[in-house]
Amino acid sequence: MKIVRKILSFSLLSLTLLYSLTSCKNKNTRSKEKHTTSEDIQLNVHSANSESQEPFSLWHPEEGTIFVLFGYGFNNEEFRNDAEKKLEETFGLKENNGLVQVIIYPDDLRNRIMNMYDIISESHVKGIILLGAPENTHFMLAKLQDEWDSTPPYSVFSFFPQDDILGQEATCDFVLDHAPETEEDSINNEKEQTVDKDAENLLIRAVYYMASLPGPLPPDTDLHTHVQTITGERKVHRYTDSETGLQSINHFVMEN
């Protein structure tokens, strides 16, 4: 009888230990699934510029739409047509059950950036990418934030904004700008063409990255790594205020 009780006690202890180990393993697995690092996404981002890229499989329709705004400097017909075609080929457009919806400023918004709020607030949003955000864009983003108690469950990337920079920093995961021009850059006749090409590649990489994220990017020490992964070979560093010498938390500049 004592032997039977010992066997039962040992079996119960083994089952308890097995359950505990299994629970820990499942908990760790779930934790890893929720935390996405730049290293996890880097391979997929690099494939964005590959001629032999695999079919896009990082996103499912129930995850929502990534809205891409073509604002100042990016709303000319040549750039936007080429960029939209590449987005359609790579990710698909929302009108055809794809990932991306393109919004052209001012054409699609009747000259008012606040009209973008109506489009986004009525949609299931995966993220927002802004190219050349016009003035007052941050007011539209702040209004969207108010719907989520200041923390929307999606990312907002802003590239080369014309909007108030402090407002952009307060309403976007990060802001990326060009480093200040030198006199030589300002007279370089090929600069505009080079910037346009880089902007299209940057956009594709940004969409890949955003589609891989479980939510917004936190403003921590890893943020620089995330932004650098998106830009690829173009080096980025945190913006430093020339008067105070203070570095911004989420404002970066890209070397020319």
Side-chain angles (χ1 to χ4, degrees), residues 154-167:
Y154 51 78
S155 298
V156 182
F157 300 167
S158 181
F159 299 97
F160 323 119
Q162 301 297 313
D163 190 21
D164 175 75
I165 196 63
L166 293 179

Side-chain angles (χ1 to χ4, degrees), residues 175-180 224 227-228 231 234-240 247-248 250-256:
V175 182
L176 181 65
D177 235 324
H178 288 296
H224 179 270
V227 178
Q228 183 63 74
T231 59
R234 298 286 293 277
K235 298 300 181 182
V236 299
H237 53 84
R238 293 182 187 273
Y239 171 80
T240 302
Q247 285 190 336
S248 172
N250 66 340
H251 182 191
F252 298 86
V253 293
M254 183 169 62
E255 294 180 0
N256 295 320

Side-chain angles (χ1 to χ4, degrees), residues 59-123:
W59 167 85
H60 300 284
E62 61 270 17
E63 294 182 44
T65 300
I66 291 180
F67 292 87
V68 176
L69 174 71
F70 289 174
Y72 291 140
F74 303 93
N75 54 5
N76 66 79
E77 187 174 357
E78 182 179 2
F79 175 82
R80 75 190 196 192
N81 286 346
D82 288 345
E84 187 169 357
K85 181 179 179 182
K86 186 69 178 291
L87 289 170
E88 182 176 17
E89 292 173 348
T90 309
F91 309 105
L93 299 181
K94 182 183 179 182
E95 59 197 60
N96 298 317
N97 299 316
L99 168 61
V100 176
Q101 179 171 339
V102 172
I103 299 175
I104 308 296
Y105 177 84
D107 300 7
D108 295 337
L109 300 174
R110 301 189 300 278
N111 297 311
R112 294 188 69 250
I113 188 62
M114 287 303 295
N115 288 334
M116 189 171 173
Y117 168 83
D118 297 325
I119 297 174
I120 293 179
S121 63
E122 296 174 355
S123 305

Side-chain angles (χ1 to χ4, degrees), residues 19-31:
Y19 176 79
S20 176
L21 290 173
T22 303
S23 298
C24 290
K25 181 179 180 181
N26 290 337
K27 183 178 180 181
N28 289 335
T29 301
R30 287 193 297 269
S31 177

Side-chain angles (χ1 to χ4, degrees), residues 35-50:
H35 181 63
T36 305
T37 66
S38 60
E39 289 79 7
D40 297 329
I41 308 170
Q42 191 167 8
L43 182 60
N44 293 321
V45 174
H46 286 328
S47 72
N49 294 327
S50 172

